[in-house]
Structures are given as C-alpha cells and as structure tokens.
C-alpha cells in the first residue's frame, strides 16, 4: 500500500474511532476496566465510621491521636490486543471484511485505553506469534497500532489461538486486560466443533482479565441457496464444490455452525471470559457498550 493511501486510511479510522471514544465509550470503558488494585495514598485523622483496620499505629502513636491510612484505586491498566491475522479475516459478504471490523474495534479500544491513561500493546497472531508491540502510552503509539492493523501482512494463513494465549501468559508479567479479536474458528480437526484452545484460555484467564470479541459474517452462519458453489478455505487453500440447493447440505452446515458456536461460548463460560459476538453487517457500537455495562 502506498504511503499516501495508508495515511489517508489511518486518518479516516482515527477520526471515526476517536470520535466514538470521546462521545460514547470513554465513561463506559473507565467503569468497566478500571484498575483492580489499591495503592496507599495518604493518612488523615480518624473519622467516625472509618474501618479500624486502616489505623496507622505508627502515626497514631507519634501524634497521640488516631490516624487512618487512605487508599485509592490503582487506575492504570495494561491493555493487550490479541489480533487474529489468519486467512479467514479476509471473508466478508456484506458491508465489510472481518479484518475491517477488527481494525475499527481495535482502534476504538486503543483510543479508549489512552484516554484512561492505560498502556496498550498488541499481539498479532496466526498459528504463531507474527508481531509483538510492547505496551506503551501516547497518540504516536496508537497511530502506529492503527497502521499495523490496516497493513500488517502475516507469514502464515493458519490459526492457533493457544499460541497467542501462551505468549500472553508467559510474556506479559503484570496482570492485564486482554481483548482477543478473532472469529475463533480454530477447531481440533476439519468439521469438528471442539475448539483447540480450552486449556490455554483457562490458564491465561487465571492470570489476566480476558475479553473475547468474536467477529463473524452471516454467510458463515448459513449457506444461501444459489446452486453449485465453489468455496475456498482461506487458511488451507483447499477448493471445494458444494450444492447449496440441497436442503440436507444447508441444514448440515447450519447444524455444524450452531454447535461450533455453542462450543466456543461454553469455553468462554468455563474460563470466566466475558464475550460478545459482532457481525460484519452490524454496528459494533451497541454490542460493545452492552459488553462494557455487563462488567
């Protein structure tokens, strides 16, 4: 992509997502993802109703009058974006590709993070770690993230979510809030509905606050009746002809999709992971706001 064209795209996404962050997401994000720790702030004289467990006995003895420790919430977070850059992100049958939707959501979360004075980093993954951007603050860092979201080219088209989760668990020492942006199509084998990443997600969620944002296209959920259709697996490159006029073919595919979706949601539930599913034909604003309010 030429530099001028890239800068125009970055600017367009910045204007849109920064505006949404300023007017819609700022308060919701702050409430949903505020810091979990408590840090010592100061001491003050004891007041009726104060918890006696907070009395600072050293200061109390020095001044011969009761003083209590005052704590404040530790607001600063480390936020990580885990971005699925496998081949399936190029699918989209309506308004945009899954990649475009993930780019905008990633930008919104990035601007929300820096407005809350949080550090933000990114892990781009396929079936391996493609790129790691360590957590930092600042607008320049956010614009670099957006550029990478737009133009990053992975070396593999395959998916391994477990690899990304293991990297998060082992590589990010401080507890973080980690958003996984993916279609979560990563199953044990072809036609299986059992995801590959249960154990890795369980371990990661014990250390970090994981939030799953599942991006999908409605044509992945149901096949249109358009006769013989040649389809290509974006990750394996395998071509296949299917008869979409066949009720049994369409019903079988719909059954697989529904069961696969149920299995993915069960993993989120088992691992205590907050999640939201957003279609490429949807406005992502309301689903994200609802996600934030649920927390």
């Amino acid at each position: 992509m030429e530099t001028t064209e890239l800068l125009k795209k970055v600017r367009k996404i910045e204007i849109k997502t920064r505006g949404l962050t300023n007017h819609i997401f700022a308060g919701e994000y702050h409430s949903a993802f505020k810091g979990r720790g408590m840090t010592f702030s100061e001491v003050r004289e004891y007041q009726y109703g104060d918890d006696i467990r907070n009395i600072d006995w050293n200061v109390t003895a020095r001044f011969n009058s009761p003083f209590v420790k005052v704590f404040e919430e530790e607001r600063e977070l480390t936020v990580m974006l885990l971005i699925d850059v496998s081949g399936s992100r190029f699918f989209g049958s309506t308004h945009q590709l899954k990649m475009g939707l993930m780019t905008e959501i990633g930008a919104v979360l990035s601007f929300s993070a820096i407005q809350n004075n949080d550090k933000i980093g990114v892990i781009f993954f396929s079936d391996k770690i493609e790129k790691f951007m360590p957590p930092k603050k600042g607008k320049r860092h956010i614009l670099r993230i957006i550029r990478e979201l737009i133009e990053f080219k992975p070396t593999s088209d395959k998916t391994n979510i477990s690899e990304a989760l293991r990297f998060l668990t082992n590589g990010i020492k401080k507890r973080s809030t980690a958003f996984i942006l993916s279609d979560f199509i990563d199953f044990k084998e072809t036609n299986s509905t059992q995801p590959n990443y249960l154990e890795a997600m369980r371990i990661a969620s014990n250390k970090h606050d994981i939030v799953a944002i599942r991006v999908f296209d409605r044509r992945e959920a149901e096949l249109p009746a358009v006769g013989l259709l040649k389809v290509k697996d974006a990750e394996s490159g395998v071509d296949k002809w299917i008869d979409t006029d066949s009720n049994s073919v369409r019903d079988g595919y719909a059954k697989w999709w529904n069961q696969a979706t149920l299995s993915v949601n069960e993993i989120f539930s088992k691992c205590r992971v907050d999640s939201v599913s957003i279609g490429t034909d949807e406005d992502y604003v309301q689903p994200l706001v609802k996600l934030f309010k649920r927390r």
Side-chain angles (χ1 to χ4, degrees):
M1 187 182 297
E2 292 185 4
T3 303
T4 304
E5 182 185 354
L6 173 61
L7 290 175
K8 284 182 180 177
K9 286 194 173 186
V10 170
R11 182 61 178 159
K12 184 178 179 182
I13 290 177
E14 180 195 359
I15 291 170
K16 179 178 180 180
T17 56
R18 198 171 190 182
L20 286 170
T21 302
N22 290 339
H23 296 106
I24 299 174
F25 292 111
E28 301 295 348
Y29 173 95
H30 181 78
S31 298
F33 302 106
K34 59 190 177 184
R36 299 293 191 268
M38 301 295 289
T39 56
F40 172 72
S41 176
E42 60 182 354
V43 293
R44 61 166 170 76
E45 287 194 74
Y46 177 86
Q47 298 174 3
Y48 178 77
D50 284 340
D51 190 335
I52 60 171
R53 291 174 296 183
N54 291 333
I55 290 178
D56 187 319
W57 294 107
N58 290 330
V59 177
T60 296
R62 190 180 305 149
F63 291 99
N64 203 27
S65 177
F67 280 77
V68 293
K69 296 177 181 178
V70 178
F71 296 86
E72 63 181 17
E73 202 164 37
E74 188 180 4
R75 294 286 183 181
E76 182 179 302
L77 284 176
T78 297
V79 178
M80 293 300 303
L81 301 182
L82 279 65
I83 308 293
D84 183 346
V85 292
S86 61
S88 60
R89 67 186 173 134
F90 290 109
F91 187 79
S93 63
T94 52
H95 294 77
Q96 61 181 332
L97 302 178
K98 288 187 283 186
M99 180 183 71
L101 180 56
M102 286 194 289
T103 296
E104 286 201 19
I105 294 173
V108 162
L109 294 173
S110 297
F111 279 117
S112 297
I114 62 167
Q115 278 209 349
N116 203 46
N117 199 34
D118 298 333
K119 293 180 180 178
I120 184 162
V122 186
I123 299 168
F124 292 95
F125 70 93
S126 55
D127 60 345
K128 58 187 177 182
I129 304 305
E130 297 277 356
K131 188 180 182 71
F132 172 53
M133 300 175 67
K136 291 181 182 178
K137 296 182 182 181
K139 182 181 175 183
R140 180 178 295 180
H141 179 59
I142 300 305
L143 293 179
R144 185 179 164 223
I145 289 174
I146 294 174
R147 285 199 302 272
E148 294 289 354
L149 286 169
I150 293 171
E151 69 166 1
F152 185 77
K153 293 179 175 59
T155 58
S156 173
D157 289 328
K158 295 182 169 57
T159 308
N160 190 329
I161 293 172
S162 294
E163 279 296 309
L165 290 168
R166 281 192 286 265
F167 186 89
L168 175 72
T169 300
N170 298 326
I172 306 300
K173 301 304 181 185
K174 183 181 178 182
R175 178 176 173 82
S176 70
T177 294
F179 296 91
I180 309 175
L181 277 71
S182 173
D183 53 20
F184 291 91
I185 300 175
D186 180 13
F187 301 105
K188 293 183 181 296
E189 57 190 36
T190 305
N191 298 325
S192 169
T193 60
Q194 293 304 309
N196 255 329
Y197 41 85
L198 171 58
E199 186 63 12
M201 183 165 286
R202 184 187 64 77
I203 294 171
S205 67
N206 284 334
K207 182 177 180 181
H208 300 284
D209 179 17
I210 308 290
V211 182
I213 300 178
R214 186 182 183 220
V215 174
F216 72 96
D217 188 273
R218 62 190 175 98
R219 281 295 170 234
E220 294 175 312
E222 59 180 29
L223 291 174
V226 292
L228 277 175
L229 185 66
K230 186 179 181 181
V231 296
K232 181 175 183 177
D233 187 319
E235 299 193 9
S236 69
V238 174
D239 291 327
K240 185 178 181 181
W241 287 94
I242 55 175
D243 181 8
T244 61
D245 280 340
S246 168
N247 288 332
S248 63
V249 169
R250 292 201 312 276
D251 291 346
Y253 179 81
K255 183 178 179 181
W256 173 84
W257 174 265
N258 291 332
Q259 182 55 52
T261 298
L262 182 62
S263 297
V264 171
N265 288 334
E266 283 177 352
I267 284 185
F268 295 156
S269 179
K270 284 179 182 177
C271 298
R272 304 182 308 280
V273 168
D274 289 329
S275 65
V276 63
S277 291
I278 306 176
T280 55
D281 59 339
E282 290 183 71
D283 181 354
Y284 58 83
V285 171
Q286 287 308 313
L288 282 184
V289 169
K290 286 180 181 177
L291 171 69
F292 291 177
K293 285 185 175 179
R294 283 205 313 266
R295 292 174 57 87

